[in-house]
């Protein structure tokens, strides 16, 4: 049996508890209690979340034996350092575990314990700069969903912790089990650690119905030519009107916005399929594989094949 320990503290973000559902459903998929999750805290007893919901916990002690530690984050991590009991436990007993993970801003707790010294790590994008300032030795990548550096795992904010937990299930039980767990949790997609924290559609934030329709048309037809004239015709505007709308609402030209959608589509296909890079380049609308690579390096700082090799 693989024991999972989730460490919480007062004002913890309640969504961290959802990571335990990943392991619960993994047990259902494999048909046995492979994982045994337990909630811990420095002193034990009830712990109040930032939303006001309390949960009972077991006190940390030297006798506790756990395979995987998950450390939950709090809403204001820079102003709420972890307790002495928790830090001491992480620096001593927890180091014997197979892996230790920071959930969202739980990375601040790992950093406080010295576990992220010269390690690659990530955290919620809104707190990344603060973590970098407090702990400059961390090799922080603030745009990744989750990062694994030897036995240390860290995730981005909120729902990214589900992706990290699924990554653990995949390491333990294989890709097929992890996919089945994601399906049972009704997750829209399984995101690999190399994926960015930001969605292109959210980043573009179209306000008008016509621009939203133009972007939806583009996203559904990425493998076709998408000139501004074609997009404008699809939403019954002139090319000039649509270009002005793009600039006003997104700050981007139609060409740049479409490039971002192509890049995101290509990344998802690389992460979720076994299609060749040539096919992916064609399906996402790039001129060829070399063009896709150029845009990937410019947008993500890594070539497309690096996402596939990390799986």
């Amino acid at each position: 049996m693989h024991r999972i320990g989730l460490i919480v503290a007062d004002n913890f973000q309640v969504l961290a508890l959802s990571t335990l559902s990943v392991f619960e459903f993994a047990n259902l998929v494999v048909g046995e209690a492979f994982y045994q999750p337990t909630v811990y805290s420095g002193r034990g007893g009830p712990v109040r979340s930032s939303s006001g919901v309390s949960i009972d916990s077991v006190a940390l002690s030297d006798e506790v034996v756990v395979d995987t530690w998950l450390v939950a984050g709090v809403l204001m991590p820079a102003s709420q350092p972890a307790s002495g009991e928790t830090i001491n436990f992480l620096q001593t007993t927890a180091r014997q575990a197979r892996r230790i993970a920071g959930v969202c801003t739980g990375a601040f707790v790992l950093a406080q314990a010295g576990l992220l010294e010269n390690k690659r790590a990530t955290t919620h994008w809104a707190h990344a700069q603060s973590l970098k300032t407090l702990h400059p030795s961390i090799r922080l990548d603030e745009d990744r969903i989750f990062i694994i550096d030897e036995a240390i795992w860290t995730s981005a904010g909120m729902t990214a912790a589900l992706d990290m937990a699924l990554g653990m299930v995949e390491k333990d039980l294989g890709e097929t089990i992890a996919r089945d767990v994601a399906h049972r949790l009704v997750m829209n997609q399984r995101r690999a650690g190399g994926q960015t924290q930001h969605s292109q559609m959210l980043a573009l934030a179209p306000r008008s119905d016509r621009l939203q329709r133009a972007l939806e048309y583009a996203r559904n037809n990425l493998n076709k030519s998408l000139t501004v004239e074609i997009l404008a015709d699809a939403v019954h505007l002139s090319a000039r009107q649509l270009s002005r709308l793009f600039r006003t609402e997104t700050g981007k030209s139609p060409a740049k916005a479409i490039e971002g959608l192509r890049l995101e589509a290509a990344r998802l296909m690389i992460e979720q399929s076994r299609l060749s890079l040539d096919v992916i380049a064609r399906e996402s609308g790039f001129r060829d594989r070399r063009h896709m690579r150029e845009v990937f390096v410019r947008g993500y700082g890594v070539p497309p094949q690096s996402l596939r090799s990390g799986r």
Side-chain angles (χ1 to χ4, degrees):
M1 183 177 293
H2 191 104
R3 292 177 172 82
I4 305 287
L6 174 65
I7 301 175
V8 298
D10 285 331
N11 298 315
F12 75 94
Q13 218 298 312
V14 74
L15 196 58
L17 294 173
S18 65
T19 57
L20 301 184
S21 294
V22 174
F23 302 110
E24 175 190 3
F25 275 79
N27 287 343
L28 291 175
V29 170
V30 299
E32 61 176 301
F34 183 84
Y35 294 108
Q36 181 183 38
T38 305
V39 178
Y40 295 85
S41 66
R43 298 182 179 178
V47 181
R48 188 179 177 85
S49 72
S50 58
S51 65
V53 174
S54 292
I55 186 169
D56 200 20
S57 66
V58 176
L60 296 172
S61 71
D62 294 340
E63 286 73 40
V64 173
V65 178
V66 163
D67 300 285
T68 298
W69 287 107
L70 307 174
V71 182
V74 297
L75 287 183
M76 303 301 292
S79 58
Q80 186 183 335
S83 68
E85 293 95 341
T86 298
I87 295 301
N88 181 64
F89 182 83
L90 288 173
Q91 292 174 334
T92 54
T93 306
R95 283 183 179 273
Q96 301 169 29
R98 183 155 68 92
R99 58 194 170 204
I100 305 174
V103 175
C104 188
T105 58
F108 281 75
V109 182
L110 300 190
Q112 190 182 339
L115 300 182
L116 298 185
E117 198 81 21
N118 298 314
K119 296 282 189 184
R120 290 183 64 243
T122 191
T123 190
H124 192 297
W125 61 266
H127 297 280
Q129 188 56 53
S130 177
L131 181 61
K132 188 182 298 184
T133 300
L134 289 170
H135 304 280
S137 70
I138 298 175
R139 292 151 53 201
L140 190 67
D141 189 340
E142 59 194 77
D143 197 37
R144 299 300 106 186
I145 294 295
F146 66 88
I147 287 176
I148 309 169
D149 192 332
E150 296 179 342
I152 304 296
W153 297 51
T154 49
S155 81
M158 305 301 184
T159 58
L162 295 176
D163 300 289
M164 180 175 69
L166 270 173
M168 293 178 177
V169 170
E170 182 172 339
K171 289 281 188 184
D172 297 339
L173 297 168
E175 184 179 355
T176 301
I177 298 297
R179 189 186 304 116
D180 198 349
V181 172
H183 181 63
R184 294 195 185 209
L185 290 171
V186 199
M187 295 177 70
N188 181 51
Q189 58 171 304
R190 281 189 57 221
R191 299 178 296 180
Q195 186 166 330
T196 178
Q197 296 186 31
H198 304 283
S199 159
Q200 281 297 314
M201 287 295 280
L202 283 176
L204 291 169
R207 297 188 297 277
S208 65
D209 289 342
R210 283 188 171 178
L211 188 54
Q212 288 178 16
R213 290 204 305 272
L215 287 168
E216 281 298 331
Y217 176 86
R219 193 161 63 172
N220 292 330
N221 294 276
L222 289 176
N223 62 341
K224 301 176 182 177
S225 174
L226 291 172
T227 64
V228 65
E229 289 79 15
I230 290 173
L231 289 178
D233 185 61
V235 294
H236 310 294
L237 288 174
S238 70
R240 189 172 183 177
Q241 286 175 313
L242 185 63
S243 293
R244 188 182 303 119
L245 203 58
F246 263 93
R247 290 286 188 188
T248 301
E249 295 195 18
T250 72
K252 297 178 182 292
S253 67
K256 275 296 180 186
I258 301 309
E259 182 181 271
L261 292 177
R262 293 191 197 281
L263 185 58
E264 184 170 67
R267 189 198 67 230
L268 291 175
M269 279 190 275
I270 290 169
E271 293 173 338
Q272 299 175 12
S273 78
R274 299 195 179 279
L275 295 173
S276 71
L277 294 182
D278 290 306
V279 171
I280 290 172
R282 184 172 63 249
E283 288 299 310
S284 51
F286 291 103
R287 291 192 302 272
D288 51 33
R289 177 173 173 169
R290 179 178 295 180
H291 179 217
M292 181 174 72
R293 187 185 191 283
E294 290 172 359
V295 177
F296 244 86
V297 172
R298 185 166 65 245
Y300 296 142
V302 295
Q305 59 267 31
S306 67
L307 298 186
R308 182 159 285 174
S309 62
R311 290 196 305 187

